[in-house]
Amino acid sequence: MTRPPYRDPAAPVPRRVADLLARMTLAEKVGQVNQRLYGWHAYERTPDGHRLTDAFRAEVAAHDGMGALYGLQRADPWSGVTFADGVTAADAAGVADAVQRHVVEETRLGIPVLLVEEVPHGHQALDGTVLPVNLAVGAGWDPDLYEEAAAAAAAELRARGGHVALVSALDLVRDPRWGRAEECFGEDPYLAARFTEALVRGMRSRGVGVVLKHFAGQGATVGGRNSAATELGARELHEIHLAAARAGVRAGAAGVMAAYNEFDGLPCAANPYLLTTLLRERWRFDGIVMADGGALDRLVRLAGDPPAAAAAALSAGTDLSLWDAVFPRLGEAVERGLVEEAALDAAVARVLTLKFRLGLFERPYVSGAGPVGDAPDLPDLSLRLARAATTLVAHDGRTLPLGPAARRIAVLGPNADSVPQQIGDYTAPQRPGTGVTVLDGIRGAAGAGREVTYARGAELVGADRSGIDAAAALAGAADVAVLVLGGSSAREEDTRFAANGAAVVTSGTPAGMTCGEGVDLADLALPAGQTALFDAVLATGVPVVVVLVQGRPHALPERFDRAAAVLCAWYPGPWGGRAVADVLFGRAAPAGRLPVSVPRSAAQLPVFYNGKDHGYRGYADQPATPRYAFGHGLGYGTVAYGPPRLDRSSVSAENPALRCTVTVTHTGGAAVRETVQLYVRRVSGGSSWPRVRELRGFARVDLAPGERREVVFEVGAGTLASVGRDLEPVVEPGELSVETGPAADRTQGAALTVTR
């Protein structure tokens, strides 16, 4: 019997897709664009292992197939999945194969299902290896290391049967009050674009398709409010919020996830400008567009009823739903004439194309997929990312690294001894004993001959002072106090959740969460109890080293100048305590640089460095400048920068190639890993009002004591381009300043003229 063309692996993918599509009924087509069932409802654990549920079988039968299944292996307090009833690493391949076998063998056309998993910072599954959150990754300024970690995470996912990874990459921290700040690589579009490229390259190398979240502008919601309105104009959208998406698309992303927010009054999942005009027509993107969880149900308010909402999303360019009750009604929408069947065919074709590209028709099962490459040491990569992220933002030049004189070390604070509080939101339950807290790391690094004492001292939230006196007494008896403060995104059993999995905060902040999806803050100051603990420990006269474990930049008032040192570890992952200790004791040089500007208070927001250059002089009651600038970070040695030198002082817009060279010299102290940053500032000319300056390159260099290095940047159209009147990148004539330095607020410039 001759096999149909769609079963022929030698046939071109477009031909296979066209053949399969021509064989499908309307109901089968609708099934391919639906991702309605929660994956953890597809199985149940029995004494003999896992079995498929009736709910799963009914979902497959409803459309004689299934487009995608979300979160088969997801585990967290929202899903309610734990080690008692979930899918562990030992079970994962078998459960994935059972799901796939049912879909392939029990449907008419045998179309495999896409197994879609959350990979926010490692696979969000039982026994999945956790990486530092994206904000910590951004602080490392090391895309190569992140690409290696992304490849390792993809290998772990693929070995467990997953095909598609949902990864936050496109959002920017434009307002740190937003609870999802930890999911961003930072506030800067160039930095986010470099990490997004690395993410896509790394995961593609292990055969995993990447869906990038969220498209577009979700980090610009008013007031840092989750899933709220944006007031973005087209220029701000293109200049700031689309760079990472464009880079990810060019790197080969399998898809993008339409964000909850609206642009120009239309929710992203029903926005034809974003999904069709921009993504499909201008960028030539041929991957899938997935809706965010339940987002299509919200469209009913605009469209009037579910079929009309489904038609609006499909017509705009959404291909695949998530959990909603709207896309299952697409058949009705077609029959009512609300949308052409050709639009449905186009969406189905993109879903099928992804399945063919991933090789699912030839290798639907984990057992037959073959090796995904050498097994990487993912915990080691997590540790290396955490070390790279640890950022020394202030130092007296004496206290760190902790030397022999620090024989008695008091470790204090609510984040000193908790792995859950250092691993961030979107994290599966961890097995007992997994990870290293900051306290554990310090104890391990201190070794024999040092005394390490510990007290919690204060709670994460509130103003309770009951533990402060005991903590201050330990500090007073020590040679140095390490005060571990900050926030937590740890989800607990009593946390309430919305239908889409976001935490629900109605009055006050839950005791276990001060950050994460749904946990937005109006005030960025550390809670009163933590601040009181800092004041009490500081009053003892002992040197105080502050370590901030946090998912957003908390505001740091002037009083923190009195600390001997301030380090930011962000949420460094399970092994972050070891990374922090390595930096404290000088086993690793502090190499992190701020991916966000640190505010003095929430009242002065916004403080991102690349705002429009209107020369604002500041408020009457406090400066408008940040406490610490974007790109800032110190080492245990000092570095001097010479002025940038251009090999050409004038270039044409058609041929803008030149070289920028800067000399960096180690001037004292220990060896350092310096991040040399390249910025461009428009002085005059151009078709729109310029920004203060914009990051356009960076290079990490190691400097031994006394060493001098020449750092060379190749400058071209990508470096000098700005967004023109047609909203496309263009090199425009005018006067520019090409600047280099260690941070956005400490640059030196060289003049460059761009002629026509």
Side-chain angles (χ1 to χ4, degrees):
M1 183 176 183
T2 304
R3 62 182 172 182
Y6 81 89
R7 289 291 184 188
D8 181 5
V13 168
R15 183 185 176 199
R16 299 178 76 181
V17 169
D19 176 70
L20 180 52
L21 194 57
R23 299 171 185 271
M24 298 176 71
T25 66
L26 179 59
E28 287 169 334
K29 293 175 183 178
V30 172
Q32 288 302 304
V33 297
N34 269 280
Q35 187 178 204
R36 194 165 70 94
L37 187 71
Y38 295 125
W40 53 93
H41 291 165
Y43 68 88
E44 59 186 7
R45 178 175 282 184
T46 72
D48 299 322
H50 295 81
R51 64 172 292 275
L52 301 180
T53 62
D54 292 341
F56 169 72
R57 296 173 188 275
E59 187 71 17
V60 175
H63 295 99
D64 200 24
M66 178 178 283
L69 180 63
Y70 167 93
L72 178 66
Q73 300 178 45
R74 176 169 177 164
D76 65 343
W78 174 53
S79 65
V81 176
T82 68
F83 282 102
D85 57 3
V87 178
T88 66
D91 311 320
V95 175
D97 279 355
V99 165
Q100 194 70 274
R101 188 167 288 107
H102 179 82
V103 174
V104 169
E105 297 179 2
E106 301 297 327
T107 58
R108 183 177 72 92
L109 294 171
I111 303 171
V113 61
L114 286 169
L115 297 181
V116 178
E117 295 287 339
E118 294 281 4
V119 189
H121 45 110
H123 185 194
Q124 190 187 346
L126 301 174
D127 299 319
T129 305
V130 179
L131 301 174
V133 298
N134 281 3
L135 198 55
V137 169
W141 289 61
D142 193 342
D144 291 340
L145 176 58
Y146 183 56
E147 182 174 342
E148 190 178 352
E156 186 175 85
L157 173 69
R158 196 68 190 89
R160 294 179 63 145
H163 308 129
V164 174
L166 306 182
V167 191
S168 293
L170 309 184
D171 302 328
L172 298 177
V173 188
R174 303 305 275 182
D175 189 328
R177 293 175 294 182
W178 186 37
R180 302 190 77 168
E182 66 189 78
E183 298 179 45
C184 309
F185 291 122
E187 69 184 38
D188 179 75
Y190 179 88
L191 188 67
R194 301 292 76 78
F195 280 108
T196 301
E197 291 170 339
L199 162 70
V200 174
R201 286 194 304 263
M203 290 200 160
R204 285 191 72 197
S205 73
R206 298 304 183 106
V208 168
V210 182
V211 172
L212 299 170
K213 304 192 296 186
H214 302 87
F215 189 78
Q218 185 168 253
T221 55
V222 175
R225 300 172 182 178
N226 193 52
S227 299
T230 64
E231 295 178 350
L232 283 173
R235 176 158 299 278
E236 184 79 6
L237 178 76
H238 281 262
E239 288 183 355
I240 298 296
H241 296 278
L242 291 179
R246 194 165 194 164
V249 164
R250 288 176 173 174
V256 299
M257 177 179 283
Y260 285 123
N261 60 277
E262 83 271 6
F263 173 69
D264 194 28
L266 282 178
C268 293
N271 195 304
Y273 171 75
L274 285 176
L275 304 186
T276 297
T277 303
L278 179 65
L279 195 60
R280 302 286 185 206
E281 297 173 2
R282 290 174 65 169
W283 292 4
R284 304 298 182 191
F285 179 62
D286 64 353
I288 64 169
V289 173
M290 183 186 298
D292 208 338
L296 300 189
D297 290 336
R298 303 182 183 191
L299 300 179
V300 174
R301 183 173 182 180
L302 290 178
D305 65 15
L314 185 72
S315 299
T318 295
D319 302 311
L320 189 61
S321 67
L322 186 59
W323 314 330
D324 59 90
V326 163
F327 253 31
R329 306 284 294 276
L330 272 172
E332 182 180 342
V334 170
E335 291 167 348
R336 286 170 52 186
L338 300 175
V339 65
E340 295 291 331
E341 188 168 355
L344 177 59
D345 288 350
V348 174
R350 286 190 281 264
V351 173
L352 294 177
T353 296
L354 177 57
K355 293 182 178 185
F356 281 117
R357 287 174 175 173
L358 292 175
L360 298 191
F361 283 81
E362 286 67 59
R363 301 177 301 278
Y365 309 120
V366 181
S367 57
V372 293
D374 296 334
D377 189 346
L378 198 46
D380 179 67
L381 286 165
S382 183
L383 173 61
R384 288 166 58 194
L385 284 170
R387 282 200 197 103
T390 304
T391 307
L392 182 64
V393 296
H395 186 217
D396 62 7
R398 302 183 305 275
T399 303
L400 295 180
L402 297 175
R407 293 185 302 105
R408 297 168 298 174
I409 304 170
V411 182
L412 313 168
N415 274 347
D417 193 29
S418 172
V419 168
Q421 289 169 207
Q422 66 189 40
I423 58 178
D425 201 1
Y426 279 95
T427 306
Q430 303 294 293
R431 290 189 185 273
T434 299
V436 178
T437 68
V438 175
L439 174 62
D440 292 336
I442 290 174
R443 282 174 171 162
R450 298 189 202 243
E451 178 187 3
V452 177
T453 57
Y454 164 71
R456 184 174 176 87
E459 299 305 312
L460 271 170
V461 296
D464 179 45
R465 301 178 60 94
S466 60
I468 289 179
D469 290 344
L474 287 182
D479 299 309
V480 64
V482 178
L483 190 54
V484 191
L485 307 175
S488 172
S489 298
R491 296 187 171 201
E492 299 182 344
E493 292 183 2
D494 60 351
T495 304
R496 294 199 304 116
F497 301 100
N500 67 346
V504 175
V505 181
T506 53
S507 59
T509 304
M513 292 185 75
T514 65
C515 196
E517 185 176 5
V519 188
D520 311 320
L521 295 182
D523 187 357
L524 291 175
L526 290 169
Q530 293 193 43
T531 303
L533 176 62
F534 171 79
D535 291 340
V537 173
L538 194 70
T540 66
V542 69
V544 179
V545 175
V546 175
V547 177
L548 294 167
V549 174
Q550 56 187 6
R552 58 159 60 87
H554 280 91
L556 295 179
E558 304 298 328
R559 70 210 300 172
F560 279 82
D561 282 344
R562 298 168 62 194
V566 178
L567 289 91
C568 186
W570 310 106
Y571 290 145
W575 297 276
R578 184 176 301 159
V580 169
D582 286 346
V583 172
L584 290 175
F585 285 90
R587 296 180 176 182
R593 297 295 182 266
L594 292 176
V596 288
S597 304
V598 177
R600 302 170 189 271
S601 72
Q604 62 164 179
L605 294 177
V607 293
F608 44 74
Y609 84 96
N610 54 355
K612 291 289 187 172
D613 190 10
H614 292 289
Y616 182 67
R617 292 186 295 273
Y619 299 99
D621 56 347
Q622 64 176 281
T625 55
R627 187 72 180 84
Y628 298 109
F630 173 82
H632 169 72
L634 305 174
Y636 291 148
T638 55
V639 177
Y641 280 70
R645 308 186 304 277
L646 308 182
D647 65 351
R648 301 171 66 186
S649 61
S650 177
V651 295
S652 69
E654 291 185 357
N655 182 26
L658 70 144
R659 283 186 173 183
C660 173
T661 303
V662 58
T663 302
V664 289
T665 306
H666 187 286
T667 56
V672 299
R673 172 162 289 182
E674 185 71 4
T675 300
V676 183
Q677 298 159 40
L678 174 75
Y679 296 86
V680 172
R681 183 170 66 89
R682 179 168 291 279
V683 178
S684 65
S687 59
S688 63
W689 198 262
R691 297 185 179 274
V692 174
R693 59 180 47 86
E694 298 175 82
L695 181 72
R696 294 299 171 86
F698 56 90
R700 292 162 60 84
V701 294
D702 293 312
L703 294 172
E707 185 176 6
R708 174 178 295 183
R709 294 277 298 272
E710 300 284 301
V711 178
V712 179
F713 293 99
E714 299 291 340
V715 176
T719 310
L720 301 178
S722 54
V723 176
R725 295 313 304 173
D726 63 353
L727 300 179
E728 288 292 330
V730 61
V731 178
E732 298 182 303
E735 300 296 325
L736 305 179
S737 176
V738 179
E739 303 179 347
T740 55
D745 65 340
R746 300 192 303 281
T747 61
Q748 301 178 67
L752 176 67
T753 300
V754 179
T755 62
R756 291 190 182 276

